[in-house]
Amino acid sequence: MTNIIRQPYLDKIEQAFGKDIIIVLTGQRRIGKSYLLRQLREQKAQDPSNNVIFVDKEKKEYDDIRDYRDLNRYIDEHRVAGKVNYILIDEIQDIAEFERTVRSYREEPDTEIVITGSNSMMLSGELATLIGGRYREIYVQALSYEEFLTFHGLTDGDDSLALYINFGGLPGLQKTGLDENDVREYQQDVLSTVLLKDVIMRNKIRNPVFLENLTSFLADNTGKIISANSISKYMRGLGQSITSTAVINYLRALSESYVIHRVNRYDIHGKRLFDSNAKYYFEDHGIRNCLGGGRREGDIEKVMENVVYNELVRRGYDVCVGQLQAAEIDFVCSRPSGQRVYVQVAYIIADEGTREREFGNLRAINDNYPKYVISMTPLVTRNDDEGIIHLNLRKFLKEGLN
């Protein structure tokens, strides 16, 4: 099997070395963080002036490393004076009080630390407090469309895009192949592992049945504005009594494990974020499809929105859902530089009514920031419609908005 390198992530890691910071690879379990860490280990081990200390908490040989004392002991046993020591630790959240270790060794000379974690709380709790912001987070996402082509040896085309839209971007699909039954079995296994290890066990979830139903509900309502109260009412209709507070806690736990991403609403006219209600998108749209029942008619726009959202994040945008009085703008995208763009997503612009809805909402925005409609309309690649750019989805996934 071809050893495929996700070079952009390795480049980000390399750029962070030598700056006296801890490098943290975050993202959903089975998204490729461990693979990146092993590639980094192989690269650094080729230089005799380096010493690599590698710990993979998902392997039984490291079961004895349970807390920071065990980890300190292991590192000390393997450190080599006079070399650059690369401390690489996979799934570090499984080691109790690991923060003490990384804080201590960060201050050692000729030492670089790269850790991975499958829960965002590791950056908002003790780690951030103890190291005072001296870390660089590198968020690892599911495969992009171009990475999907490379991993599966495919050429760019409508058939390949259809496979990507259907199956998503888990790197492990390279081993299973793209047979639908094998893909769905693998995706279900990944989701079950994430829910058990990063949601249920970590958060001491007492109602795993509701958690599974909630995840399926989110898959069925991807791209819709939902609230904790509406979910609570829906579940009561199914005979499950659950409070809005409990729903909020479960949604937070799913978000912290990177299974889903909460996207807040932004008032375009009032230039403020709304606190209540939001949209939710899946880290991997293939898992969403697995939960949603595969190729259901009418789901294509949900999946397209999910694909576009993830690609916008991959290209460096902070993304919100736009609210303009009664109208909705799918995505308001901004960068720290002040750059902003508006994006609408539609399956096919087939008639004047659809065109007016998608383009009309954008024209109602009274500013000069760039505006885009992304669709799969045949024969459209990149057209300018009175200042609004109409982009083909495949072109967007390969080239971005530019």
Side-chain angles (χ1 to χ4, degrees):
M1 184 171 293
T2 305
N3 186 26
I4 297 170
I5 296 176
R6 300 181 76 180
Q7 195 61 49
Y9 291 113
L10 290 174
D11 289 344
K12 289 180 180 179
I13 296 171
E14 196 65 43
Q15 290 165 8
F17 283 145
K19 297 179 181 178
D20 191 29
I21 59 176
I22 298 164
I23 302 166
V24 187
L25 306 183
T26 60
Q28 180 188 289
R29 201 178 289 259
R30 298 290 184 271
I31 219 70
K33 305 186 303 296
S34 303
Y35 190 72
L36 283 168
L37 211 60
R38 288 195 295 271
Q39 288 182 336
L40 182 64
R41 176 184 62 178
E42 292 169 5
Q43 288 184 4
K44 294 305 178 184
Q46 294 174 8
D47 186 340
S49 66
N50 295 334
N51 175 55
V52 179
I53 303 168
F54 186 81
V55 174
D56 182 354
K57 277 301 292 175
E58 293 208 319
K59 296 289 176 26
K60 62 181 180 181
E61 62 194 274
Y62 300 102
D63 282 349
D64 290 340
I65 303 177
R66 296 186 177 89
D67 61 26
Y68 77 97
R69 296 181 184 88
D70 301 327
L71 183 56
N72 289 346
R73 196 157 38 244
Y74 184 86
I75 292 173
D76 286 340
E77 289 171 357
H78 292 82
R79 277 171 60 84
V80 177
K83 292 190 176 186
V84 178
N85 288 275
Y86 287 88
I87 301 173
L88 313 180
I89 308 173
D90 196 18
E91 299 299 350
I92 198 170
Q93 76 273 356
D94 293 337
I95 301 174
E97 296 185 89
F98 69 87
E99 310 89 6
R100 295 173 178 264
T101 296
V102 296
R103 179 184 63 170
S104 176
Y105 286 98
R106 179 182 66 81
E107 298 176 355
E108 294 290 330
D110 297 325
T111 301
E112 301 287 356
I113 302 173
V114 185
I115 62 178
T116 80
S118 299
N119 195 288
S120 63
M121 282 302 291
M122 65 183 293
L123 290 180
S124 59
E126 288 298 310
L127 178 60
T129 301
L130 286 172
I131 64 178
R134 296 297 299 168
Y135 66 86
R136 163 80 187 280
E137 178 186 1
I138 298 176
Y139 166 44
V140 181
Q141 294 180 264
L143 299 179
S144 68
Y145 173 58
E146 291 209 284
E147 287 177 323
F148 178 85
L149 296 178
T150 301
F151 267 62
H152 297 286
L154 300 172
T155 56
D156 180 32
D158 289 342
D159 289 343
S160 296
L161 178 60
L163 289 172
Y164 180 65
I165 289 174
N166 187 23
F167 294 143
L170 291 179
L173 295 183
Q174 188 196 27
K175 294 181 180 179
T176 68
L178 296 180
D179 173 81
E180 182 135 19
N181 290 331
D182 292 340
V183 168
R184 298 308 181 205
E185 182 178 350
Y186 176 74
Q187 289 167 337
Q188 186 59 59
D189 178 64
V190 169
L191 179 62
S192 297
T193 300
V194 173
L195 292 183
L196 176 62
K197 291 188 175 182
D198 298 323
V199 184
I200 295 173
M201 293 175 63
R202 182 178 180 86
N203 295 279
K204 297 179 175 59
I205 295 293
R206 297 181 178 180
N207 192 345
V209 173
F210 170 70
L211 177 69
E212 292 176 3
N213 289 339
L214 174 62
T215 310
S216 296
F217 175 88
L218 294 171
D220 198 41
N221 290 275
T222 301
K224 292 183 179 179
I225 298 289
I226 59 176
S227 67
N229 189 48
S230 65
I231 294 173
S232 178
K233 288 181 179 178
Y234 173 80
M235 291 302 172
R236 282 201 296 271
L238 297 179
Q240 284 189 293
S241 179
I242 194 85
T243 66
S244 297
T245 300
V247 171
I248 291 170
N249 291 335
Y250 278 63
L251 287 171
R252 183 183 298 114
L254 283 169
S255 297
E256 288 169 356
S257 66
Y258 300 96
V259 174
I260 58 171
H261 299 289
R262 176 188 169 102
V263 183
N264 292 320
R265 293 184 302 147
Y266 177 76
D267 180 357
I268 296 174
H269 178 72
K271 295 181 173 55
R272 63 187 178 91
L273 285 172
F274 291 107
D275 294 330
S276 62
N277 304 348
K279 287 187 178 184
Y280 291 88
Y281 295 99
F282 279 73
E283 169 61 39
D284 177 63
H285 60 274
I287 286 180
R288 191 233 74 94
N289 293 343
C290 179
L291 287 167
R295 306 173 183 176
R296 294 188 307 176
E297 184 177 351
D299 273 13
I300 181 62
E301 288 204 359
K302 299 177 186 178
V303 186
M304 280 183 63
E305 271 195 45
N306 208 134
V307 170
V308 170
Y309 167 77
N310 283 329
E311 187 64 26
L312 288 166
V313 172
R314 181 178 288 108
R315 293 181 180 272
Y317 289 103
D318 293 321
V319 183
C320 295
V321 176
Q323 194 73 39
L324 187 66
Q325 296 177 342
E328 181 182 293
I329 306 300
D330 288 332
F331 300 122
V332 179
C333 315
S334 59
R335 284 184 170 141
S337 62
Q339 180 186 3
R340 178 186 296 177
V341 297
Y342 301 103
V343 176
Q344 289 282 76
V345 182
Y347 175 36
I348 292 177
I349 308 295
D351 53 54
E352 197 56 40
T354 305
R355 175 176 293 277
E356 178 55 32
R357 181 178 68 249
E358 304 298 342
F359 285 79
N361 286 352
L362 290 174
R363 291 195 180 98
I365 302 173
N366 189 26
D367 63 36
N368 295 319
Y369 290 114
K371 302 172 179 65
Y372 298 85
V373 173
I374 297 174
S375 81
M376 295 179 67
T377 305
L379 305 181
V380 168
T381 53
R382 182 186 177 96
N383 299 341
D384 189 326
D385 190 316
E386 298 180 13
I388 298 174
I389 303 299
H390 188 182
L391 266 181
N392 178 268
L393 175 64
R394 188 151 57 87
K395 185 176 180 65
F396 163 69
L397 292 177
K398 286 175 62 66
E399 301 175 12
L401 296 174
N402 297 325

